[in-house]
Amino acid sequence: KAGVTQTPRYLIKTRGQQVTLSCSPISGHRSVSWYQQTPGQGLQFLFEYFSETQRNKGNFPGRFSGRQFSNSRSEMNVSTLELGDSALYLCASSGTGGENEQFFGPGTRLTVL
Amino acid sequence: SQKIEQNSEALNIQEGKTATLTCNYTNYSPAYLQWYRQDPGRGPVFLLLIRENEKEKRKERLKVTFDTTLKQSLFHITASQPADSATYLCALEGGGYQKVTFGIGTKLQVIP
């Protein structure tokens, strides 16, 4: 099976712009979670989608939003970018069996100038 | 508020020794505790999961213990190798459809 893929891998934006990141989960996985990772804060949970519905949400401002499509692919959007949004954004998918483990993609490195 | 603590300082050990990493938590009653490995520039990779009613779990050179009274998990790598050098993350999940919360990770360096 192909792993979780994320596009783009690297992105440079300026303050005030918006960005959309994409994640394709492992085939058959219906749950997709998004995380922000920075050196000081570690992995911070953004939100989780399951069957096109947001199932959980972290403590991030409304500038961060997401959605999931019927094929389980997910996108997250950040509007009005701030310098502090520079981070590695990771997407993870999980299935309904197994040990509840999450399978992570390689991440998108976002730099806000 | 819920808090997960991992020794954020790097842990350096000699090749062949056992590495022991600690994960402590407060204000949390996790149903599962997971350990992940993360290499620089890559996403975390799942290693082991231990449930609240399990005391210990093993997988090859890895061993995880889970003490819900102490609110602590220990992660052991026996006969460590330089290839084990990475950052190790613990993650807690409350069960059901609750979100997974990660610790900040501990960087392990195995010295040849």
Side-chain angles (χ1 to χ4, degrees):
Chain A
K1 271 186 180 176
V4 177
T5 58
Q6 292 186 246
T7 56
R9 292 294 312 278
Y10 303 92
L11 207 48
I12 299 175
K13 292 284 187 179
T14 56
R15 280 181 298 175
Q17 288 187 307
Q18 76 163 15
V19 67
T20 298
L21 311 182
S22 181
C23 170
S24 292
I26 289 173
S27 177
H29 285 188
R30 294 160 66 187
S31 170
V32 173
S33 297
W34 288 90
Y35 295 87
Q36 180 195 68
Q37 188 174 35
T38 57
Q41 298 294 319
L43 269 166
Q44 300 288 307
F45 175 79
L46 281 156
F47 26 67
E48 180 208 2
Y49 286 88
F50 181 85
S51 294
E52 302 178 69
T53 301
Q54 189 180 83
R55 190 158 69 175
N56 279 300
K57 189 177 188 307
N59 298 322
F60 277 81
R63 302 185 295 108
F64 292 81
S65 62
R67 59 178 176 169
Q68 186 179 33
F69 302 95
S70 58
N71 62 357
S72 292
R73 190 178 69 85
S74 178
E75 289 181 347
M76 68 162 279
N77 183 277
V78 188
S79 62
T80 321
L81 284 166
E82 300 177 359
L83 295 179
D85 296 333
S86 294
L88 180 67
Y89 289 88
L90 290 158
C91 144
S93 74
S94 58
T96 54
E99 295 191 306
N100 292 357
E101 67 266 37
Q102 297 191 76
F103 295 85
F104 282 84
T108 294
R109 173 72 63 184
L110 172 64
T111 302
V112 182
L113 303 176
Chain B
S1 61
Q2 298 170 346
K3 195 173 180 182
I4 302 173
E5 289 182 347
Q6 290 187 260
N7 187 350
S8 59
E9 295 174 10
L11 176 64
N12 296 321
I13 65 163
Q14 210 69 34
E15 181 178 4
K17 301 290 186 183
T18 296
T20 299
L21 285 66
T22 304
C23 176
N24 295 300
Y25 59 93
T26 54
N27 298 325
Y28 208 116
S29 295
Y32 310 100
L33 190 146
Q34 304 176 13
W35 284 89
Y36 288 78
R37 168 187 173 138
Q38 186 174 25
D39 292 284
R42 310 187 84 159
V45 174
F46 171 80
L47 295 174
L48 277 170
L49 176 148
I50 188 165
R51 293 176 172 78
E52 60 178 336
N53 59 351
E54 297 176 316
K55 297 292 184 187
E56 180 180 300
K57 202 155 191 179
R58 294 174 185 260
K59 180 181 177 181
E60 298 172 352
R61 295 184 296 113
L62 308 180
K63 184 178 88 171
V64 172
T65 62
F66 193 11
D67 189 324
T68 54
T69 302
L70 291 178
K71 296 187 182 298
Q72 181 182 78
S73 174
L74 298 179
F75 177 79
H76 306 274
I77 305 176
T78 58
S80 59
Q81 305 165 0
D84 295 326
S85 299
T87 295
Y88 291 85
L89 307 167
C90 77
L92 278 67
E93 183 187 354
Y97 300 130
Q98 294 187 41
K99 67 179 184 181
V100 177
T101 303
F102 282 81
I104 199 164
T106 298
K107 186 174 182 179
L108 173 68
Q109 187 77 28
V110 180
I111 304 164

